[in-house]
Amino acid sequence: ETHGITFRIQISVKELLDTDVLLKLLFHLPVNYPSTLPDISVNSDQLTRAQCMDVKDKLLEQAKKHLSEPMVHDLILWIQQHLKYVIKQSATVCNEKTTLSKGTSAEDGIWMLLLHLDHMRAKAKYVKTVEKWASDLRLTGRLMFMGKIILILLQGDRSNIKEYLILQKTSKVDVDSSGKKCKEKMISVLCETKVQSQHKRFQTFEVKEYSTLDELQKEFETAGLTTLFSEFVPPLLK
């Protein structure tokens, strides 16, 4: 296949104050792996987003040492043994930052993504999957249906937005005409941009259906996204 393979691994590490830290690791192995490094994403309810990013960076550092040889198993063993050191290091770095710089860097990382889907054959399952991904990656926004138009509008950390795109393109989220599970091939990235001051931040991720184009337009206008709507949505009706 042209995309390689993606798989998830959950491991429990008993490191911090004798509490279990559940790490959710996602590895995307490109077709020329292990000659090319895998894409790695890290999530954990017990760790902050910054700590998860530090764990990811350390895993990628280790991966470079294993280039051209199978490495996933070695990476999992390594993080099980070294997680507490990575976390301690991360906490030290975090404490050195000022409140102002932390606030600024957090805002710098907020991005927005608008996707167009051609269709959903297995709608209920597909919607549930999108909701789960948005929740796991702490993304907010809307999954919007209006007639035959299907749009996904997401806001969140830029790295999480990119992880969502990997999942969307490499996971079997729908079924084909014969009912067999298949990947999403009919998807368009309409816009990927930094959230601006005039844009309203969505607080939750919701699935909504609109009976008219006016209703859909009002959703965009309420979020301060009138320009985004007029540029990308009307052409979809042609």
Side-chain angles (χ1 to χ4, degrees), residues 13-14 46 51 61 71 91 97 130 179 215 217:
V13 187
K14 202 179 190 82
Q46 288 83 29
Q51 287 172 327
E61 279 179 27
M71 65 185 78
K97 291 181 180 177
V130 170
E215 284 182 17
Q217 186 171 350

Side-chain angles (χ1 to χ4, degrees), residues 8 47 52 54 64 71 84 87 96 110 113 118 126 136 159 166 168 193 221 223 231-232:
R8 294 183 188 81
L47 303 180
C52 287
D54 285 336
K64 289 173 186 174
M71 65 185 78
K84 66 179 176 183
I87 302 293
E96 288 172 359
I110 305 302
L113 177 72
D118 185 71
Y126 204 134
D136 288 348
S159 63
I166 291 173
Q168 181 77 62
T193 184
E221 287 175 352
E231 187 174 350
F232 295 106

Side-chain angles (χ1 to χ4, degrees), residues 1 3-8 26-28 117 125-126 129-130 132-133 136-137 162-176 180-187:
E1 295 208 21
H3 294 297
I5 61 169
T6 301
F7 60 93
R8 294 183 188 81
L26 184 141
F27 292 90
H28 175 239
L117 300 181
K125 178 181 175 296
Y126 204 134
T129 301
V130 170
K132 184 179 186 311
W133 288 343
D136 288 348
L137 293 169
K162 292 193 176 297
E163 284 172 27
Y164 179 92
L165 267 177
I166 291 173
L167 285 170
Q168 181 77 62
K169 291 176 179 178
T170 59
S171 305
K172 291 186 176 179
V173 287
D174 207 359
V175 295
D176 60 20
K180 186 180 176 183
K181 288 183 179 179
C182 66
K183 293 176 184 176
E184 179 58 76
K185 294 185 174 69
M186 304 287 283
I187 184 170

Side-chain angles (χ1 to χ4, degrees), residues 140-195:
T140 59
R142 300 284 185 267
L143 169 52
M144 301 175 277
F145 296 91
M146 200 289 293
K148 292 186 177 180
I149 292 178
I150 307 169
L151 299 169
I152 302 176
L153 180 61
L154 298 170
Q155 291 179 345
D157 186 277
R158 192 179 188 186
S159 63
N160 288 1
I161 292 269
K162 292 193 176 297
E163 284 172 27
Y164 179 92
L165 267 177
I166 291 173
L167 285 170
Q168 181 77 62
K169 291 176 179 178
T170 59
S171 305
K172 291 186 176 179
V173 287
D174 207 359
V175 295
D176 60 20
S177 55
S178 62
K180 186 180 176 183
K181 288 183 179 179
C182 66
K183 293 176 184 176
E184 179 58 76
K185 294 185 174 69
M186 304 287 283
I187 184 170
S188 305
V189 178
L190 299 180
C191 180
E192 185 177 356
T193 184
K194 190 175 174 183
V195 170

